[in-house]
Amino acid sequence: NDGTSLAGQVVLYSGCQDDQCSADACFGGQPAGALTNALLTTIQQRQGNLSWIELLYAARKLCGTGSIAQTPQISFNKPKFNLDDKLAW
């Protein structure tokens, strides 16, 4: 199954490109994944009012600073997925 026959939309944010390692780090003294922290920080700052692509770019900006060198990616199962759609909560 190639995923396109699924009834729902599947969206996957991954922590890095295939040739990179996805980092773990400490944020506020708590261990967490760099991508998870970037996503949560961005969603909280923007109060959830952003599109899929805006979230990706914000996560890339946060994950590309300091000692963290990774480039988050996005994948989806439908060929006509609109990255400019706002996140739905």
Side-chain angles (χ1 to χ4, degrees), residues 24 26 33 41 44-45 49 53 56 61 75 86:
D24 287 328
C26 284
T41 297
Q44 289 171 347
Q45 288 175 347
N49 185 24
I53 195 70
L56 177 65
K61 184 175 180 180
S75 303
K86 295 289 184 184

Side-chain angles (χ1 to χ4, degrees), residues 5-89:
S5 63
L6 297 173
Q9 177 68 53
V10 177
V11 180
L12 169 72
Y13 282 97
S14 57
C16 61
Q17 296 177 353
D18 289 343
D19 62 344
Q20 296 175 320
C21 290
S22 192
D24 287 328
C26 284
F27 302 95
Q30 297 294 316
L35 175 63
T36 300
N37 183 71
L39 294 174
L40 291 174
T41 297
T42 301
I43 291 168
Q44 289 171 347
Q45 288 175 347
R46 298 281 301 270
Q47 298 178 351
N49 185 24
L50 65 166
S51 69
W52 295 101
I53 195 70
E54 289 169 332
L55 181 57
L56 177 65
Y57 288 151
R60 283 181 176 175
K61 184 175 180 180
L62 290 173
C63 286
T65 60
S67 62
I68 301 169
Q70 61 188 72
T71 307
Q73 305 294 305
I74 189 172
S75 303
F76 38 86
N77 68 322
K78 303 285 184 181
K80 294 186 179 185
F81 183 70
N82 187 353
L83 290 171
D84 293 318
D85 283 348
K86 295 289 184 184
L87 300 176
W89 303 103

